[in-house]
Amino acid sequence: MTKVMLLFPPNWNPAMPHLALPTLTAFLRGHGIEVIQRDLNIEVFNEVLSRRYLERALAQLRRDYGSRAERRPKRVAAAPRPQVEWALNNGPMIAAQIERAKRIMRSQAFFDGPIGRDAIELIDKALQLASLPFFPAGLELSSYRSALPPNSTRNVLHEVRDPQINMLREIFSNGVVNDIEREQPDVVGISIPCMAQLVPGLTIAALIKERGLNCHITLGGPHITMLREKLAHNRAIFELFDSAIVFDGEVPLLELAKAVSSGGDLNEVPNLIYRDGDEIRVTKRKTPEKIGNLPLPDFDGLPLNSYLAPRLVLPLLSARGCYYGKCAFCNVGYGEPESFSLMRSENLAQQMIALKQKYGVEEIFFSDEALTIRTLRELSTILEREGTPVLWGGCARFERTLSKEILQQMYAGGCRSILFGLESASEAIMRRMIKGTKLEHMHRILEESTTAGIWNHTFFFLGFPGETLDDAQETVNFLYQHKNHINSMGFGIFLLEIDAPIHRDPASFGVTRVITKPEEDLAIYFEYETAEGIDSQMADLVATRFMESLPKQHYPQFYVNDVYRLLYACHLSRTGQAMPPWLASESVTL
């Protein structure tokens, strides 16, 4: 039987599995392929957040820096002495308490404000300690920080092979690579959804190649799709892997597995970029499978009891793509014609109930770009009729048709959190973004959602080309105007991303120059120049001042990521407590 091992590298939320592997696993297993899926993200967190690992990190720091941090090791970048002194002084206590902190994160004690806060702060300190021997690289709670910018082939090829700055080499070499050698899969598939996973993912690939294991290594995921044009002309990076699958991967991965195991022609595998001797070949593009034709995601084989969360949360999709798909800053579709497909609400409800029955999950997080109003209305009605078997949250747009009645129905059907793409509250900037939303509806929806009992999370950013200080002030004013209706925020600075409409046609959005640097041959974000409005430095300054003005959150653990926010909202709902507003001082009693 053909065997495939699927791997998900670090730099993802350790509170919940990613949906990529379970979706592929279900499809492949349904076609008779043996699949081993490994969430290396949570495996790495569990390895690093252990007393044994932290004590080894302390011993390494003493060897490199001395018992009082009095030495400077012979390496390109050494950690600042105050950081090393802090680690040497506090490390033994952190190592001694780390197991207790993990137990708290996986228990109802997480919801006790002071106890949960202390646990997550200790975990953050433990990650700092574990990372210091590999400075400036580091593992953070929801990210892996590479020592070198992963926007160039030269940097990537160096870092994946350098044990001084790559803490993952030893972990992978002693773990998953040994397992690959034992299992002997025909294909090893490495999912790379985001830029920060590139070095972790390619570290695995490099180790497989170094050991000479006889398996075909293929990459996939959104980040690989964004790099497709660059990979097609980059022979050097193919030292580390054999092929890359771009866009949706179910059918291409199935066909690749069959071709590899039977010695078939890779040129017949769709959506593939592969090395053929000294040549790099690109195969034909296949229309993606409609989401309604895909099976229930299969989480079997993942360590569902090991995630750093007090309750199991599983991801799910109601659709593929974005039903709107016009925002200038968003690269959904990656510059190709958008192929949106929507699952029938009855089938979606059945999937949610099936996940509860199979895995005992009571909270679902929808990973969609944006849930359609039709899905929100129909799904909520069905779930209420079924006795509201699960609670859930997901992203939505400020649509005119999102009425008070629908919001009330959503709460009755289990919705406890909505993530809204606010982006800007300046009508002028919203028009420049082609956002397709109106202030009048944003005002109303936030108020009515709060009244319905739903946690409102808003995403917004500063610095879209053409934005003035007055425009930015309008957004800040809007947020404070609705301080009692916004429970959390995701805030950032505009980034010009590859394949977004503004990247494909910059002049239409007031960008006079997109700056590309030959040495950054794997870049997906670009510096730019604009004829008007604030620049990125001013946007960063305004953002810093805004963040400094925010009221202190006594229990920041509830706001770290989407999963913790959803679980907190569900906990408050179950215990009859109100959702705390973000821009007002939080109560210290829970």
Side-chain angles (χ1 to χ4, degrees):
M1 177 183 288
T2 303
K3 183 187 291 188
V4 173
M5 182 176 282
L6 299 178
L7 307 176
F8 189 83
N11 188 53
W12 174 250
N13 183 352
M16 178 181 74
H18 194 277
L19 194 54
L21 299 197
T23 299
L24 293 169
T25 296
F27 189 84
L28 294 178
R29 285 175 176 168
H31 286 81
I33 304 294
E34 181 182 353
V35 181
I36 301 170
Q37 58 175 331
R38 295 280 294 272
D39 186 349
L40 299 179
N41 181 62
I42 193 58
E43 290 185 24
V44 166
F45 273 103
N46 285 330
E47 168 69 12
V48 169
L49 295 173
S50 67
R51 182 167 188 163
R52 175 182 54 83
Y53 190 95
L54 295 176
E55 289 177 343
R56 285 175 51 202
L58 275 172
Q60 185 66 50
L61 288 173
R62 294 188 187 101
R63 286 193 296 271
D64 291 346
Y65 292 87
S67 60
R68 295 185 301 278
E70 70 275 9
R71 292 200 303 266
R72 306 304 289 163
K74 295 180 180 179
R75 47 184 298 163
V76 174
R81 179 168 182 172
Q83 291 187 31
V84 179
E85 290 176 334
W86 166 85
L88 294 174
N89 292 332
N90 295 280
M93 177 273 294
I94 294 170
Q97 296 183 7
I98 189 61
E99 299 298 340
R100 177 178 180 272
K102 287 193 296 183
R103 287 195 298 271
I104 290 171
M105 296 294 293
R106 295 177 179 137
S107 74
Q108 287 297 107
F110 172 82
F111 296 115
D112 182 299
I115 293 175
R117 178 190 59 212
D118 291 347
I120 205 165
E121 288 179 352
L122 187 109
I123 284 174
D124 181 65
K125 293 173 183 175
L127 293 174
Q128 294 178 48
L129 166 61
S131 301
L132 268 182
F134 306 93
F135 182 87
L139 181 65
E140 299 169 353
L141 193 58
S142 295
S143 179
Y144 180 75
R145 185 183 67 253
S146 301
L148 304 171
N151 57 7
S152 80
T153 301
R154 180 179 180 179
N155 286 352
V156 170
L157 290 176
H158 173 77
E159 186 159 357
V160 299
R161 293 167 173 150
D162 188 345
Q164 274 199 341
I165 56 174
N166 190 334
M167 69 188 296
L168 300 174
R169 276 187 61 91
E170 181 180 11
I171 295 173
F172 291 154
S173 183
N174 294 335
V176 68
V177 179
N178 285 341
D179 298 335
I180 292 170
E181 187 170 12
R182 183 184 67 253
E183 294 288 347
Q184 299 183 347
D186 299 285
V187 174
V188 172
I190 304 173
S191 178
I192 303 181
C194 69
M195 187 176 189
Q197 285 175 297
L198 188 62
V199 166
L202 289 180
T203 297
I204 305 166
L207 290 166
I208 294 171
K209 292 292 186 183
E210 289 170 20
R211 201 172 293 190
L213 302 184
N214 184 27
C215 57
H216 182 101
I217 304 171
T218 191
L219 310 181
H223 188 69
I224 298 304
T225 298
M226 284 187 267
L227 292 176
R228 65 193 182 280
E229 295 177 6
K230 298 172 183 287
L231 293 179
H233 302 91
N234 189 337
R235 285 188 295 176
I237 199 72
F238 275 87
E239 295 176 17
L240 302 176
F241 57 94
D242 302 301
S243 70
I245 291 173
V246 297
F247 297 100
D248 295 295
E250 290 83 10
V251 172
L253 184 55
L254 174 63
E255 294 303 317
L256 177 64
K258 291 178 179 178
V260 169
S261 64
S262 65
D265 185 1
L266 295 187
N267 203 49
E268 297 301 314
V269 178
N271 296 19
L272 195 69
I273 305 172
Y274 69 99
R275 183 179 58 188
D276 182 10
D278 291 332
E279 300 294 323
I280 299 176
R281 302 191 184 278
V282 180
T283 66
K284 63 183 180 297
R285 171 88 186 276
K286 184 186 185 304
T287 302
E289 287 291 301
K290 292 188 179 298
I291 192 169
N293 298 332
L294 297 177
L296 177 74
D298 189 343
F299 295 88
D300 288 359
L302 296 181
L304 298 183
N305 294 326
S306 294
Y307 291 89
L308 294 177
R311 299 167 64 88
L312 176 63
V313 180
L314 292 180
L316 202 57
L317 277 175
S318 74
R320 282 199 151 172
C322 178
Y323 71 90
Y324 181 71
K326 299 177 184 177
C327 297
F329 53 83
C330 180
N331 70 350
V332 63
Y334 312 108
E336 298 290 324
E338 179 65 22
S339 54
F340 176 74
S341 65
L342 180 68
M343 186 179 295
R344 294 177 64 246
S345 299
E346 293 83 357
N347 293 348
L348 184 60
Q350 290 172 8
Q351 286 200 348
M352 297 172 75
I353 294 170
L355 290 177
K356 178 177 182 178
Q357 292 173 342
K358 187 173 184 180
Y359 302 109
V361 65
E362 295 184 345
E363 282 91 2
I364 297 288
F365 181 81
F366 285 105
S367 300
D368 297 70
E369 298 288 339
L371 293 156
T372 69
I373 302 303
R374 174 182 174 181
T375 296
L376 292 172
R377 182 183 65 250
E378 294 179 350
L379 178 66
S380 301
T381 300
I382 295 167
L383 291 174
E384 183 187 19
R385 188 175 65 228
E386 295 292 330
T388 314
V390 294
L391 303 182
W392 52 276
C395 298
R397 284 172 46 82
F398 285 111
E399 299 283 15
R400 174 184 59 82
T401 52
L402 186 54
S403 66
K404 176 174 68 174
E405 291 73 24
I406 293 176
L407 289 162
Q408 292 172 340
Q409 182 63 61
M410 288 164 57
Y411 182 87
C415 179
R416 294 297 179 268
S417 174
I418 306 177
L419 291 74
F420 287 111
L422 170 69
E423 323 310 358
S424 172
S426 163
E427 292 273 20
I429 298 304
M430 290 159 64
R431 286 193 297 271
R432 289 180 74 110
M433 291 177 176
I434 319 179
K435 183 63 186 170
T437 51
K438 299 287 186 181
L439 272 177
E440 59 183 297
H441 307 313
M442 293 157 60
H443 286 295
R444 174 186 59 79
I445 290 169
L446 285 173
E447 294 174 4
E448 292 176 349
S449 180
T450 297
T451 301
I454 297 172
W455 180 290
N456 290 323
H457 180 86
T458 58
F459 296 105
F460 67 100
F461 57 83
L462 298 178
F464 188 80
E467 183 177 55
T468 66
L469 286 174
D470 287 340
D471 293 322
Q473 188 63 55
E474 286 186 48
T475 300
V476 172
N477 292 345
F478 177 91
L479 295 170
Y480 275 95
Q481 182 181 354
H482 290 280
K483 66 180 182 180
N484 292 321
H485 308 126
I486 295 174
N487 307 103
S488 56
M489 297 186 298
F491 180 40
I493 303 300
F494 169 74
L495 296 174
L496 198 157
E497 189 171 24
I498 195 169
D499 291 333
I502 194 170
H503 176 247
R504 293 278 178 172
D505 186 14
S508 295
F509 300 95
V511 174
T512 57
R513 180 184 172 215
V514 176
I515 301 170
T516 57
K517 301 176 182 179
E519 66 274 17
E520 295 180 357
D521 60 336
L522 298 177
I524 63 166
Y525 300 111
F526 305 95
E527 297 177 17
Y528 62 93
E529 295 174 356
T530 182
E532 57 182 342
I534 61 177
D535 58 21
S536 58
Q537 289 79 16
M538 178 58 71
D540 189 52
L541 176 61
V542 174
T544 300
R545 296 286 174 83
F546 174 72
M547 294 300 291
E548 290 173 349
S549 71
L550 294 177
K552 177 180 174 61
Q553 297 298 319
H554 296 281
Y555 306 125
Q557 71 270 23
F558 301 136
Y559 304 91
V560 170
N561 56 48
D562 296 336
V563 173
Y564 294 158
R565 284 191 298 268
L566 175 60
L567 286 171
Y568 185 39
C570 293
H571 170 76
L572 293 172
S573 175
R574 287 188 175 105
T575 55
Q577 300 180 69
M579 307 288 180
W582 176 259
L583 292 173
S585 296
E586 184 185 39
S587 170
V588 296
T589 59
L590 287 178

